Amino acid sequence: MVTTTKHPVLSPRALNRATLDRQLLLRRSPLGVEDAVAHLLGLQAQNTKPPYYALAARLEGFRPEQLSTLMESRAVARIVTMRSTVHTHTARDAVALRRLVQPGAPDRELAVFVGRKGLDGVDLDRLAARSRELVEERPRTPKQLREELLQEWPDADPLSLSVAARCILHLVQVTPRGLWGRGGQVALTTTDVWFGDAVPAETADLDETVLRYLGAFGPASVKDMQTWCGLTHLGAAFERLRPRLLVFQDERGTELFDLPDAPRPDEDTPAPPRFLPEFDNLLLSHADRTRVVTPENRSRSWKGNQAFRVFLLDGVLAGLWHLEETKERVTMAIEPFEAIDRRQREELLAEAERTLEVMGPQGVPYEIVFRAPER
């Protein structure tokens, strides 16, 4: 006879409030910027501005210059990690987490390019060694790196060469790329050169990373964490940690793990509006995203491979926002998916004003408009 173990059930709303609390989105946190980046295990940074808007939605007293200062001092950096996408990490996580996730998305992406035959005849060990020599001599753009590598492998696909180098080596995007208010091409060097002896070349401990993930995104399933980091077969790590964790289940019976002392607010806890950047990790870090995205709205924040800026109402995805910036004026357009009432409109307006006061250019007037949703 098979006995099924029953665990306490967490509703989508209970999961929503717990996750928002871990994500610093129920109330703005007094954490410092570096501590917040560490707590969140990095900020999705496929574009340059999202990390700044992500922190503006989460931290009390945040100013964009604070993150830029940390980037210039090399306390944080931009690097490809989870899901083979660019994240802004603390220096230690930039090294340790990249080493941890290497067998996941980076290696799988490399295999795809090898499989396309664009690297036929290319010795990957030699490619890695030559690429390291080039980017450690001085930071190089992907185009510059391709041009140099083509001299040795003229018959190879140029894009495959630079992607392979990025997948194999642990490459930081050097400043001024990513600094607030300053432009800069992607230029790459190794973590060894960028951080030097200040950061040990350690791989993040998997069990510790599970605990950190739950602290930032829990309660969560094994598949949730695998979706976040791009690794597979993480069940054994959760089993090792099971005696130290609480176990719940969602309404479909999926096991959800959590830290015993982590916050799980009451379902009725208010969740204020928040304006989030495109690709915010809140929306990307669970296999089951229904805790923050209703099924009917799941496809409305994307078009092709492009994500839109979104806002939350009562803790769930409720619409898009758009920003038009000129030297004379900044216009923020708010586009709810459904009709909103007067109170919601006033709360959105107040949060929009706060966002623009923090993030908008000093001395440039702004306006906020509401648009009917596009169908």
Side-chain angles (χ1 to χ4, degrees), residues 174-186:
V174 306
T175 54
R177 179 71 173 177
L179 298 181
W180 186 254
R182 294 174 60 184
Q185 288 183 294
V186 173

Side-chain angles (χ1 to χ4, degrees), residues 122 126-127 129-159 161-162 165:
V122 176
R126 174 59 187 156
L127 171 69
R130 180 60 181 145
S131 299
R132 178 180 289 276
E133 291 172 358
L134 290 166
V135 298
E136 290 189 343
E137 179 183 56
R138 60 178 173 83
R140 297 181 190 258
T141 69
K143 180 176 182 293
Q144 291 168 339
L145 184 58
R146 285 194 294 271
E147 291 172 347
E148 292 286 347
L149 295 174
L150 278 170
Q151 294 183 29
E152 185 155 346
W153 294 284
D155 296 328
D157 173 61
L159 178 61
L161 289 171
S162 60

Side-chain angles (χ1 to χ4, degrees), residues 277-343:
E278 63 271 31
F279 303 111
D280 193 280
N281 273 335
L282 174 72
L283 306 178
L284 299 176
S285 301
H286 299 88
D288 179 3
R289 301 173 187 177
T290 55
R291 68 183 69 193
V292 288
V293 183
T294 59
E296 59 269 23
N297 286 333
R298 178 164 184 167
S299 64
R300 299 179 72 175
S301 63
W302 296 81
K303 186 174 183 179
N305 292 325
Q306 179 59 49
F308 302 122
R309 299 175 177 128
V310 302
F311 66 84
L312 308 179
L313 272 180
D314 195 26
V316 298
L317 177 67
L320 312 179
W321 62 280
H322 313 272
L323 205 60
E324 299 173 8
E325 298 177 278
T326 69
K327 293 180 179 179
E328 292 75 30
R329 180 172 296 275
V330 175
T331 301
M332 183 178 190
I334 300 172
E335 184 182 307
F337 291 147
E338 308 295 341
I340 58 175
D341 59 32
R342 176 180 293 183
R343 178 185 59 80

Side-chain angles (χ1 to χ4, degrees), residues 35-57:
D35 288 341
V37 174
H39 167 74
L40 296 165
L41 287 96
L43 304 166
Q44 228 282 0
Q46 188 165 328
N47 298 329
T48 56
K49 290 185 178 180
Y52 294 90
Y53 281 98
L55 292 172

